[in-house]
Coordinates of all heavy atoms in Angstrom, one line a residue:
M308 N 44.1 -33.6 -85.1 CA 43.3 -32.6 -84.3 C 44.3 -31.5 -83.9 O 45.1 -31.6 -83.0 CB 42.8 -33.3 -83.0 CG 42.3 -32.4 -81.9 SD 41.7 -33.3 -80.5 CE 43.2 -33.8 -79.7
P309 N 44.3 -30.3 -84.6 CA 45.1 -29.2 -84.2 C 44.6 -28.5 -83.0 O 43.4 -28.6 -82.6 CB 45.1 -28.3 -85.5 CG 43.8 -28.7 -86.1 CD 43.5 -30.1 -85.8
F310 N 45.4 -27.7 -82.4 CA 45.0 -26.8 -81.3 C 45.0 -25.4 -81.7 O 46.0 -24.7 -81.7 CB 46.0 -27.0 -80.1 CG 46.1 -28.3 -79.5 CD1 47.2 -28.6 -78.6 CD2 45.2 -29.3 -79.7 CE1 47.3 -29.8 -78.0 CE2 45.3 -30.5 -79.0 CZ 46.3 -30.8 -78.2
P311 N 43.8 -24.9 -82.1 CA 43.7 -23.5 -82.6 C 44.3 -22.5 -81.6 O 44.9 -21.5 -82.0 CB 42.2 -23.3 -82.9 CG 41.7 -24.6 -83.0 CD 42.5 -25.5 -82.2
L312 N 44.1 -22.7 -80.3 CA 44.5 -21.7 -79.4 C 46.0 -21.5 -79.4 O 46.5 -20.4 -79.1 CB 44.0 -22.1 -77.9 CG 44.4 -21.1 -76.8 CD1 43.8 -19.8 -77.1 CD2 44.0 -21.7 -75.5
V313 N 46.8 -22.6 -79.7 CA 48.2 -22.4 -79.7 C 48.6 -21.4 -80.8 O 49.4 -20.5 -80.5 CB 48.9 -23.8 -80.0 CG1 50.4 -23.6 -80.2 CG2 48.7 -24.7 -78.8
S314 N 48.0 -21.5 -81.9 CA 48.3 -20.5 -83.0 C 47.9 -19.1 -82.6 O 48.6 -18.1 -82.9 CB 47.6 -20.9 -84.3 OG 48.2 -22.2 -84.8
I315 N 46.7 -19.0 -82.0 CA 46.2 -17.7 -81.6 C 47.2 -17.1 -80.6 O 47.5 -15.9 -80.7 CB 44.8 -17.9 -80.9 CG1 43.8 -18.2 -82.0 CG2 44.4 -16.6 -80.2 CD1 42.4 -18.6 -81.5
V316 N 47.7 -17.8 -79.6 CA 48.6 -17.3 -78.6 C 49.9 -16.9 -79.3 O 50.5 -15.9 -79.0 CB 48.8 -18.3 -77.5 CG1 50.0 -17.8 -76.6 CG2 47.5 -18.5 -76.7
L317 N 50.5 -17.8 -80.1 CA 51.7 -17.5 -80.8 C 51.7 -16.4 -81.8 O 52.7 -15.8 -82.1 CB 52.3 -18.8 -81.4 CG 52.6 -20.0 -80.5 CD1 53.1 -21.2 -81.3 CD2 53.7 -19.5 -79.5
N318 N 50.5 -16.0 -82.2 CA 50.4 -14.9 -83.2 C 49.9 -13.6 -82.5 O 49.5 -12.7 -83.2 CB 49.4 -15.3 -84.3 CG 50.0 -16.3 -85.2 OD1 51.2 -16.2 -85.6 ND2 49.3 -17.4 -85.6
Q319 N 50.0 -13.5 -81.2 CA 49.7 -12.3 -80.5 C 50.7 -11.2 -80.9 O 51.9 -11.5 -81.2 CB 49.7 -12.5 -79.0 CG 48.6 -13.4 -78.4 CD 47.3 -12.6 -78.5 OE1 47.1 -11.6 -77.8 NE2 46.3 -13.1 -79.2
T320 N 50.3 -10.0 -80.8 CA 51.2 -8.9 -81.1 C 52.2 -8.8 -80.0 O 53.4 -8.3 -80.2 CB 50.5 -7.5 -81.2 OG1 49.7 -7.3 -80.0 CG2 49.5 -7.5 -82.4
Y321 N 51.9 -9.2 -78.8 CA 52.9 -9.2 -77.7 C 53.6 -10.6 -77.8 O 53.0 -11.6 -77.7 CB 52.2 -9.1 -76.3 CG 53.1 -9.1 -75.1 CD1 53.7 -7.9 -74.8 CD2 53.4 -10.2 -74.4 CE1 54.6 -7.8 -73.7 CE2 54.2 -10.2 -73.3 CZ 54.9 -9.0 -73.0 OH 55.7 -8.9 -71.9
Q322 N 54.9 -10.5 -78.0 CA 55.6 -11.8 -78.3 C 56.5 -12.3 -77.2 O 57.1 -13.3 -77.3 CB 56.5 -11.5 -79.6 CG 55.7 -11.6 -80.8 CD 55.1 -12.9 -81.1 OE1 55.9 -13.9 -81.3 NE2 53.8 -13.1 -81.2
N323 N 56.6 -11.6 -76.1 CA 57.5 -12.0 -75.0 C 56.7 -13.0 -74.1 O 56.3 -12.7 -73.0 CB 58.0 -10.8 -74.1 CG 59.0 -11.2 -73.1 OD1 59.5 -12.3 -73.1 ND2 59.1 -10.3 -72.1
I324 N 56.5 -14.2 -74.7 CA 55.7 -15.2 -74.0 C 56.3 -16.5 -73.9 O 57.3 -16.8 -74.6 CB 54.3 -15.4 -74.8 CG1 54.6 -15.9 -76.2 CG2 53.5 -14.1 -74.8 CD1 53.4 -16.4 -76.9
E325 N 55.8 -17.3 -73.0 CA 56.1 -18.7 -73.0 C 54.7 -19.4 -72.8 O 53.9 -19.0 -72.0 CB 57.0 -19.1 -71.8 CG 56.5 -18.9 -70.4 CD 57.4 -19.3 -69.3 OE1 58.2 -20.2 -69.5 OE2 57.2 -18.8 -68.2
L326 N 54.5 -20.4 -73.6 CA 53.2 -21.1 -73.6 C 53.5 -22.5 -73.0 O 54.3 -23.2 -73.5 CB 52.6 -21.2 -75.0 CG 51.3 -22.0 -75.1 CD1 50.2 -21.4 -74.2 CD2 50.9 -22.1 -76.6
I327 N 52.8 -22.8 -71.9 CA 53.0 -24.1 -71.2 C 51.8 -24.9 -71.3 O 50.7 -24.4 -70.9 CB 53.3 -23.8 -69.7 CG1 54.6 -23.0 -69.6 CG2 53.5 -25.2 -69.0 CD1 54.9 -22.5 -68.1
I328 N 51.9 -26.0 -72.0 CA 50.8 -26.9 -72.2 C 50.9 -28.1 -71.2 O 52.0 -28.8 -71.3 CB 50.7 -27.4 -73.6 CG1 50.5 -26.2 -74.6 CG2 49.6 -28.4 -73.8 CD1 50.7 -26.6 -76.1
I329 N 49.9 -28.3 -70.4 CA 50.0 -29.5 -69.5 C 48.9 -30.5 -69.9 O 47.7 -30.2 -70.0 CB 49.7 -29.1 -68.0 CG1 50.6 -28.0 -67.5 CG2 49.7 -30.3 -67.1 CD1 52.1 -28.3 -67.5
N330 N 49.4 -31.7 -70.3 CA 48.5 -32.8 -70.6 C 48.1 -33.5 -69.3 O 49.0 -34.1 -68.7 CB 49.1 -33.7 -71.6 CG 48.3 -34.9 -71.9 OD1 47.1 -34.8 -72.3 ND2 48.8 -36.1 -71.7
D331 N 46.9 -33.4 -68.9 CA 46.4 -34.0 -67.7 C 45.9 -35.4 -67.8 O 44.7 -35.6 -67.6 CB 45.4 -33.0 -67.0 CG 45.1 -33.5 -65.6 OD1 46.0 -33.9 -64.8 OD2 43.9 -33.4 -65.2
G332 N 46.7 -36.3 -68.3 CA 46.3 -37.7 -68.4 C 45.3 -38.0 -69.4 O 44.5 -39.0 -69.3
S333 N 45.3 -37.3 -70.5 CA 44.3 -37.6 -71.6 C 44.6 -39.0 -72.1 O 45.7 -39.5 -72.2 CB 44.4 -36.6 -72.7 OG 45.6 -36.6 -73.3
S334 N 43.6 -39.6 -72.6 CA 43.7 -41.0 -73.1 C 43.6 -41.0 -74.7 O 43.7 -42.1 -75.2 CB 42.6 -41.9 -72.5 OG 41.3 -41.4 -72.8
D335 N 43.5 -39.9 -75.3 CA 43.5 -39.8 -76.8 C 44.9 -39.4 -77.2 O 45.9 -39.6 -76.5 CB 42.4 -38.9 -77.3 CG 42.6 -37.5 -76.7 OD1 43.6 -37.1 -76.1 OD2 41.6 -36.7 -76.9
N336 N 45.0 -38.8 -78.4 CA 46.3 -38.4 -78.9 C 46.7 -36.9 -78.6 O 47.6 -36.4 -79.3 CB 46.4 -38.7 -80.4 CG 45.5 -37.7 -81.2 OD1 44.6 -37.2 -80.7 ND2 45.8 -37.6 -82.5
T337 N 46.1 -36.4 -77.5 CA 46.4 -35.0 -77.2 C 47.8 -34.7 -77.0 O 48.4 -33.7 -77.5 CB 45.6 -34.6 -75.9 OG1 44.2 -34.7 -76.2 CG2 45.9 -33.2 -75.5
L338 N 48.5 -35.6 -76.2 CA 49.9 -35.3 -75.9 C 50.8 -35.3 -77.2 O 51.6 -34.5 -77.4 CB 50.5 -36.4 -75.0 CG 52.0 -36.3 -74.6 CD1 52.3 -34.9 -74.0 CD2 52.4 -37.4 -73.7
Q339 N 50.5 -36.3 -78.1 CA 51.3 -36.3 -79.4 C 51.0 -35.1 -80.2 O 52.0 -34.5 -80.8 CB 50.9 -37.6 -80.2 CG 51.3 -38.9 -79.5 CD 50.5 -39.3 -78.3 OE1 49.3 -38.9 -78.2 NE2 51.1 -40.1 -77.5
V340 N 49.8 -34.6 -80.2 CA 49.5 -33.4 -81.0 C 50.2 -32.2 -80.3 O 50.8 -31.4 -81.0 CB 48.0 -33.1 -81.1 CG1 47.7 -31.8 -81.7 CG2 47.3 -34.2 -81.9
A341 N 50.1 -32.1 -79.0 CA 50.7 -31.0 -78.3 C 52.3 -31.0 -78.5 O 52.8 -29.9 -78.7 CB 50.4 -31.1 -76.8
L342 N 52.9 -32.1 -78.5 CA 54.3 -32.2 -78.7 C 54.8 -31.6 -80.0 O 55.9 -31.2 -80.2 CB 54.8 -33.6 -78.5 CG 54.8 -34.1 -77.1 CD1 55.1 -35.6 -77.0 CD2 55.9 -33.4 -76.2
Q343 N 53.9 -31.6 -81.0 CA 54.2 -31.0 -82.3 C 54.4 -29.5 -82.3 O 55.1 -29.0 -83.1 CB 53.1 -31.4 -83.4 CG 53.0 -32.8 -83.7 CD 51.8 -33.1 -84.6 OE1 51.3 -32.2 -85.2 NE2 51.3 -34.4 -84.6
Y344 N 53.9 -28.9 -81.2 CA 54.1 -27.4 -81.1 C 55.3 -27.1 -80.2 O 55.6 -25.9 -80.1 CB 52.8 -26.8 -80.4 CG 51.6 -26.9 -81.3 CD1 50.7 -27.9 -81.1 CD2 51.3 -26.0 -82.3 CE1 49.5 -28.0 -81.9 CE2 50.2 -26.0 -83.1 CZ 49.3 -27.0 -82.9 OH 48.2 -27.1 -83.6
E345 N 55.9 -28.0 -79.6 CA 57.0 -27.7 -78.7 C 58.1 -27.0 -79.4 O 58.5 -27.3 -80.5 CB 57.6 -29.0 -78.0 CG 58.3 -28.7 -76.8 CD 58.4 -30.0 -75.9 OE1 58.7 -31.1 -76.5 OE2 58.3 -29.9 -74.7
S346 N 58.6 -25.9 -78.8 CA 59.6 -25.0 -79.4 C 60.2 -24.2 -78.3 O 60.0 -24.5 -77.1 CB 58.9 -24.1 -80.4 OG 58.1 -23.1 -79.8
D347 N 61.0 -23.2 -78.7 CA 61.6 -22.3 -77.6 C 60.5 -21.5 -76.9 O 60.8 -21.0 -75.8 CB 62.6 -21.4 -78.2 CG 62.1 -20.5 -79.3 OD1 61.1 -20.8 -80.0 OD2 62.6 -19.3 -79.5
K348 N 59.3 -21.3 -77.4 CA 58.2 -20.6 -76.8 C 57.1 -21.5 -76.2 O 56.3 -21.1 -75.5 CB 57.6 -19.6 -77.7 CG 58.4 -18.4 -78.1 CD 57.7 -17.4 -78.8 CE 58.5 -16.2 -79.0 NZ 57.7 -15.0 -79.2
V349 N 57.2 -22.8 -76.6 CA 56.1 -23.7 -76.1 C 56.7 -24.9 -75.4 O 57.5 -25.6 -76.0 CB 55.3 -24.2 -77.3 CG1 54.2 -25.2 -76.9 CG2 54.7 -23.1 -78.1
L350 N 56.3 -25.0 -74.1 CA 56.8 -26.2 -73.3 C 55.6 -27.1 -73.1 O 54.5 -26.7 -72.7 CB 57.3 -25.6 -72.0 CG 57.7 -26.6 -70.9 CD1 59.0 -27.3 -71.4 CD2 57.9 -25.9 -69.6
V351 N 55.8 -28.4 -73.4 CA 54.7 -29.4 -73.2 C 55.2 -30.4 -72.1 O 56.3 -30.9 -72.2 CB 54.5 -30.1 -74.5 CG1 53.4 -31.2 -74.3 CG2 54.0 -29.1 -75.6
R352 N 54.3 -30.6 -71.2 CA 54.5 -31.5 -70.1 C 53.3 -32.4 -69.9 O 52.2 -32.0 -70.3 CB 54.9 -30.9 -68.8 CG 56.2 -30.1 -68.8 CD 57.4 -31.1 -69.0 NE 58.6 -30.5 -68.9 CZ 59.4 -30.2 -70.0 NH1 58.9 -30.4 -71.2 NH2 60.5 -29.6 -69.9
S353 N 53.4 -33.6 -69.3 CA 52.3 -34.5 -69.1 C 52.4 -35.0 -67.7 O 53.4 -35.1 -67.1 CB 52.4 -35.6 -70.1 OG 51.2 -36.4 -70.1
Q354 N 51.2 -35.2 -67.1 CA 51.1 -35.8 -65.8 C 49.9 -36.8 -65.8 O 49.0 -36.7 -66.7 CB 50.9 -34.7 -64.8 CG 49.5 -34.0 -64.9 CD 49.4 -32.9 -63.8 OE1 50.3 -32.5 -63.2 NE2 48.1 -32.5 -63.6
T355 N 49.9 -37.7 -64.8 CA 48.7 -38.5 -64.7 C 47.5 -37.7 -64.4 O 47.7 -36.6 -63.8 CB 48.9 -39.6 -63.6 OG1 49.2 -38.9 -62.4 CG2 50.1 -40.6 -64.0
N356 N 46.3 -38.1 -64.7 CA 45.1 -37.3 -64.4 C 45.0 -37.0 -63.0 O 44.8 -37.8 -62.1 CB 43.9 -38.1 -64.9 CG 42.7 -37.2 -64.8 OD1 42.2 -36.9 -63.7 ND2 42.2 -36.8 -65.9
R357 N 45.2 -35.7 -62.7 CA 45.1 -35.2 -61.3 C 44.1 -34.0 -61.2 O 43.9 -33.4 -60.2 CB 46.4 -34.7 -60.8 CG 47.4 -35.9 -60.7 CD 48.8 -35.6 -60.2 NE 48.8 -34.8 -59.1 CZ 49.7 -33.8 -58.9 NH1 50.6 -33.5 -59.7 NH2 49.6 -33.1 -57.7
G358 N 43.5 -33.6 -62.3 CA 42.5 -32.5 -62.4 C 43.1 -31.2 -62.7 O 44.3 -31.0 -62.8
Q359 N 42.1 -30.3 -63.1 CA 42.5 -29.0 -63.6 C 43.4 -28.2 -62.6 O 44.3 -27.5 -63.0 CB 41.3 -28.2 -63.9 CG 41.6 -26.8 -64.5 CD 40.4 -26.0 -64.9 OE1 39.2 -26.5 -64.8 NE2 40.6 -24.9 -65.5
C360 N 43.0 -28.2 -61.3 CA 43.8 -27.4 -60.3 C 45.3 -27.9 -60.3 O 46.2 -27.1 -60.3 CB 43.2 -27.5 -59.0 SG 41.6 -26.6 -58.8
A361 N 45.5 -29.2 -60.3 CA 46.8 -29.8 -60.2 C 47.6 -29.4 -61.5 O 48.8 -29.1 -61.4 CB 46.8 -31.3 -60.0
A362 N 46.9 -29.5 -62.6 CA 47.5 -29.1 -63.9 C 47.9 -27.6 -63.9 O 49.0 -27.3 -64.3 CB 46.6 -29.4 -65.1
C363 N 47.1 -26.8 -63.4 CA 47.4 -25.3 -63.3 C 48.6 -25.1 -62.4 O 49.5 -24.3 -62.7 CB 46.2 -24.5 -62.9 SG 44.9 -24.4 -64.1
N364 N 48.6 -25.8 -61.3 CA 49.7 -25.6 -60.3 C 51.0 -26.1 -60.9 O 52.0 -25.5 -60.7 CB 49.4 -26.3 -59.0 CG 48.3 -25.6 -58.2 OD1 48.1 -24.4 -58.3 ND2 47.7 -26.4 -57.3
Y365 N 50.9 -27.2 -61.6 CA 52.1 -27.7 -62.3 C 52.7 -26.7 -63.3 O 53.8 -26.4 -63.4 CB 51.8 -29.0 -62.9 CG 53.0 -29.7 -63.6 CD1 54.3 -29.6 -63.1 CD2 52.8 -30.6 -64.7 CE1 55.4 -30.2 -63.7 CE2 53.8 -31.3 -65.3 CZ 55.1 -31.1 -64.8 OH 56.2 -31.7 -65.4
G366 N 51.8 -26.1 -64.1 CA 52.1 -25.1 -65.1 C 52.8 -23.9 -64.4 O 53.8 -23.4 -64.9
V367 N 52.2 -23.4 -63.3 CA 52.7 -22.3 -62.6 C 54.1 -22.6 -62.1 O 55.0 -21.7 -62.1 CB 51.8 -21.9 -61.5 CG1 52.4 -20.9 -60.5 CG2 50.5 -21.3 -62.0
S368 N 54.3 -23.8 -61.6 CA 55.6 -24.2 -61.1 C 56.7 -24.1 -62.2 O 57.9 -24.0 -61.9 CB 55.6 -25.5 -60.4 OG 55.6 -26.6 -61.4
L369 N 56.3 -24.3 -63.4 CA 57.3 -24.3 -64.5 C 57.5 -22.9 -65.1 O 58.5 -22.7 -65.8 CB 56.8 -25.2 -65.7 CG 56.6 -26.7 -65.3 CD1 55.9 -27.4 -66.4 CD2 58.0 -27.3 -65.0
A370 N 56.6 -22.0 -64.9 CA 56.6 -20.7 -65.5 C 57.8 -19.8 -65.1 O 58.2 -19.9 -63.9 CB 55.3 -19.9 -65.2
K371 N 58.3 -19.1 -66.0 CA 59.4 -18.2 -65.7 C 59.1 -16.7 -65.9 O 59.8 -15.9 -65.5 CB 60.6 -18.5 -66.7 CG 61.1 -19.9 -66.5 CD 62.1 -20.2 -67.6 CE 62.5 -21.7 -67.5 NZ 63.2 -22.2 -68.7
G372 N 57.9 -16.4 -66.4 CA 57.5 -15.1 -66.7 C 57.0 -14.3 -65.5 O 56.8 -14.9 -64.4
E373 N 56.8 -13.0 -65.7 CA 56.3 -12.1 -64.6 C 54.8 -12.3 -64.4 O 54.3 -12.2 -63.3 CB 56.7 -10.7 -64.9 CG 56.3 -9.7 -63.9 CD 56.8 -8.3 -64.2 OE1 57.4 -8.1 -65.2 OE2 56.4 -7.4 -63.4
Y374 N 54.1 -12.5 -65.5 CA 52.6 -12.6 -65.5 C 52.2 -14.0 -66.0 O 52.9 -14.6 -66.8 CB 52.0 -11.6 -66.3 CG 52.3 -10.1 -65.9 CD1 52.9 -9.3 -66.8 CD2 52.0 -9.7 -64.7 CE1 53.2 -8.0 -66.5 CE2 52.3 -8.3 -64.3 CZ 52.9 -7.5 -65.2 OH 53.2 -6.2 -64.9
I375 N 51.1 -14.5 -65.5 CA 50.5 -15.8 -65.9 C 49.1 -15.5 -66.3 O 48.3 -14.9 -65.6 CB 50.6 -16.8 -64.7 CG1 52.1 -17.1 -64.4 CG2 49.9 -18.1 -65.1 CD1 52.3 -18.0 -63.2
K376 N 48.8 -16.1 -67.4 CA 47.4 -16.1 -67.9 C 47.0 -17.5 -68.2 O 47.7 -18.3 -68.9 CB 47.3 -15.3 -69.2 CG 45.8 -15.2 -69.7 CD 45.7 -14.2 -70.8 CE 44.3 -14.1 -71.4 NZ 43.3 -13.7 -70.4
F377 N 45.9 -17.9 -67.7 CA 45.4 -19.3 -67.9 C 44.5 -19.3 -69.1 O 43.7 -18.4 -69.3 CB 44.6 -19.8 -66.7 CG 45.5 -20.0 -65.5 CD1 45.6 -19.0 -64.5 CD2 46.2 -21.2 -65.4 CE1 46.4 -19.2 -63.4 CE2 47.0 -21.4 -64.2 CZ 47.1 -20.4 -63.3
F378 N 44.6 -20.4 -69.9 CA 43.7 -20.6 -71.1 C 43.1 -22.0 -71.0 O 43.7 -22.9 -70.5 CB 44.5 -20.5 -72.4 CG 45.1 -19.2 -72.7 CD1 46.5 -19.0 -72.5 CD2 44.4 -18.2 -73.2 CE1 47.1 -17.8 -72.8 CE2 45.0 -17.0 -73.5 CZ 46.3 -16.8 -73.3
D379 N 41.9 -22.1 -71.5 CA 41.3 -23.4 -71.8 C 41.4 -23.6 -73.3 O 41.4 -22.6 -74.1 CB 39.9 -23.5 -71.3 CG 39.8 -23.5 -69.8 OD1 40.6 -24.2 -69.1 OD2 39.0 -22.7 -69.2
A380 N 41.3 -24.9 -73.8 CA 41.5 -25.2 -75.2 C 40.5 -24.5 -76.1 O 40.8 -24.2 -77.2 CB 41.4 -26.7 -75.4
D381 N 39.3 -24.1 -75.6 CA 38.3 -23.5 -76.4 C 38.2 -22.0 -76.3 O 37.4 -21.3 -76.8 CB 36.9 -24.1 -76.1 CG 36.5 -23.8 -74.6 OD1 37.3 -23.4 -73.8 OD2 35.3 -24.1 -74.3
D382 N 39.3 -21.4 -75.7 CA 39.3 -19.9 -75.6 C 39.7 -19.3 -76.9 O 40.4 -19.9 -77.7 CB 40.3 -19.5 -74.5 CG 39.9 -19.7 -73.1 OD1 38.7 -20.0 -72.9 OD2 40.7 -19.6 -72.2
I383 N 39.3 -18.0 -77.1 CA 39.7 -17.3 -78.3 C 40.2 -15.9 -77.8 O 39.7 -15.4 -76.8 CB 38.6 -17.2 -79.4 CG1 37.4 -16.5 -78.8 CG2 38.3 -18.5 -80.0 CD1 36.3 -16.2 -79.9
L384 N 41.1 -15.3 -78.6 CA 41.6 -14.0 -78.2 C 41.7 -13.1 -79.4 O 42.1 -13.6 -80.5 CB 43.0 -14.1 -77.6 CG 43.2 -15.0 -76.4 CD1 44.7 -15.1 -76.2 CD2 42.5 -14.4 -75.2
A385 N 41.6 -11.8 -79.3 CA 41.9 -10.9 -80.3 C 43.5 -10.8 -80.4 O 44.1 -11.1 -79.4 CB 41.4 -9.5 -80.0
P386 N 44.0 -10.5 -81.5 CA 45.5 -10.5 -81.7 C 46.3 -9.6 -80.7 O 47.4 -9.9 -80.4 CB 45.7 -10.1 -83.1 CG 44.5 -10.3 -83.8 CD 43.4 -10.2 -82.8
D387 N 45.6 -8.6 -80.2 CA 46.3 -7.7 -79.3 C 45.9 -7.8 -77.8 O 46.2 -7.0 -77.0 CB 46.1 -6.2 -79.7 CG 44.6 -5.8 -79.7 OD1 43.8 -6.7 -79.6 OD2 44.4 -4.6 -79.7
T388 N 45.2 -8.9 -77.5 CA 44.8 -9.1 -76.1 C 45.9 -9.1 -75.1 O 45.8 -8.4 -74.1 CB 44.0 -10.4 -76.0 OG1 42.8 -10.4 -76.8 CG2 43.5 -10.7 -74.6
L389 N 46.9 -9.9 -75.3 CA 48.0 -10.0 -74.3 C 48.7 -8.6 -74.2 O 49.1 -8.2 -73.1 CB 49.0 -11.1 -74.7 CG 48.4 -12.5 -74.6 CD1 49.4 -13.6 -75.0 CD2 47.8 -12.8 -73.3
A390 N 49.0 -8.0 -75.4 CA 49.6 -6.7 -75.3 C 48.8 -5.7 -74.5 O 49.4 -4.9 -73.7 CB 49.8 -6.1 -76.7
A391 N 47.5 -5.6 -74.7 CA 46.7 -4.7 -73.9 C 46.7 -5.1 -72.4 O 46.8 -4.2 -71.6 CB 45.3 -4.8 -74.4
Q392 N 46.6 -6.3 -72.1 CA 46.6 -6.7 -70.7 C 47.9 -6.4 -70.0 O 48.0 -6.0 -68.9 CB 46.2 -8.2 -70.6 CG 44.8 -8.5 -70.9 CD 44.4 -9.9 -70.9 OE1 45.2 -10.8 -71.1 NE2 43.1 -10.2 -70.7
V393 N 49.1 -6.7 -70.7 CA 50.4 -6.4 -70.1 C 50.5 -4.9 -69.9 O 51.0 -4.5 -68.9 CB 51.5 -7.0 -71.0 CG1 52.9 -6.5 -70.5 CG2 51.5 -8.5 -70.9
S394 N 50.1 -4.2 -70.9 CA 50.2 -2.7 -70.8 C 49.4 -2.2 -69.6 O 49.9 -1.4 -68.8 CB 49.6 -2.1 -72.1 OG 49.7 -0.7 -72.0
L395 N 48.2 -2.7 -69.4 CA 47.4 -2.3 -68.2 C 48.1 -2.8 -66.9 O 48.1 -2.0 -65.9 CB 46.0 -2.9 -68.3 CG 45.1 -2.2 -69.4 CD1 43.8 -3.0 -69.6 CD2 44.8 -0.8 -69.0
L396 N 48.6 -4.0 -66.9 CA 49.3 -4.5 -65.7 C 50.5 -3.7 -65.4 O 50.9 -3.5 -64.2 CB 49.6 -5.9 -65.8 CG 48.4 -6.9 -65.8 CD1 48.8 -8.3 -66.3 CD2 47.9 -7.0 -64.4
N397 N 51.1 -3.1 -66.4 CA 52.3 -2.3 -66.2 C 52.0 -0.9 -65.8 O 52.9 0.0 -65.7 CB 53.3 -2.4 -67.4 CG 54.0 -3.7 -67.5 OD1 54.1 -4.4 -66.5 ND2 54.4 -4.1 -68.7
G398 N 50.7 -0.5 -65.8 CA 50.3 0.8 -65.4 C 50.1 1.8 -66.5 O 49.9 3.0 -66.2
S399 N 50.2 1.4 -67.7 CA 50.0 2.4 -68.8 C 48.7 2.1 -69.5 O 48.1 1.0 -69.4 CB 51.1 2.3 -69.8 OG 51.2 1.1 -70.4
K400 N 48.2 3.1 -70.2 CA 46.9 2.9 -70.9 C 47.1 2.7 -72.3 O 48.0 3.2 -72.9 CB 46.0 4.2 -70.7 CG 45.7 4.4 -69.2 CD 44.5 5.3 -69.0 CE 44.3 5.5 -67.6 NZ 43.0 5.6 -67.2
T401 N 46.2 1.8 -72.9 CA 46.3 1.6 -74.3 C 45.2 2.3 -75.0 O 44.2 2.7 -74.4 CB 46.1 0.1 -74.6 OG1 44.8 -0.4 -74.1 CG2 47.2 -0.7 -74.0
K402 N 45.3 2.6 -76.3 CA 44.3 3.3 -77.1 C 43.3 2.3 -77.6 O 43.5 1.2 -77.9 CB 45.0 4.1 -78.2 CG 45.8 5.2 -77.7 CD 46.4 6.0 -78.8 CE 47.2 7.1 -78.3 NZ 47.8 7.9 -79.4

């Protein structure tokens, strides 16, 4: 079971990213699949099932970046989504 969103995020035109995947106590092979993506840009951590809010808070506590964007496994993005959002957050306009 691959994670399409991981590839979508890693293939964004904006590359100054860290992707943090929190496994919130899944009982299937989600953690094993997620660990296959671990790299210098992808951090995978696991916790006992504590719910979405706790998983998000755990991810935020690990984040090193200036901005945080939350994703769910079924989200999709255009390749330039993060670049456009960072540009807007930095106060410049994109074409």
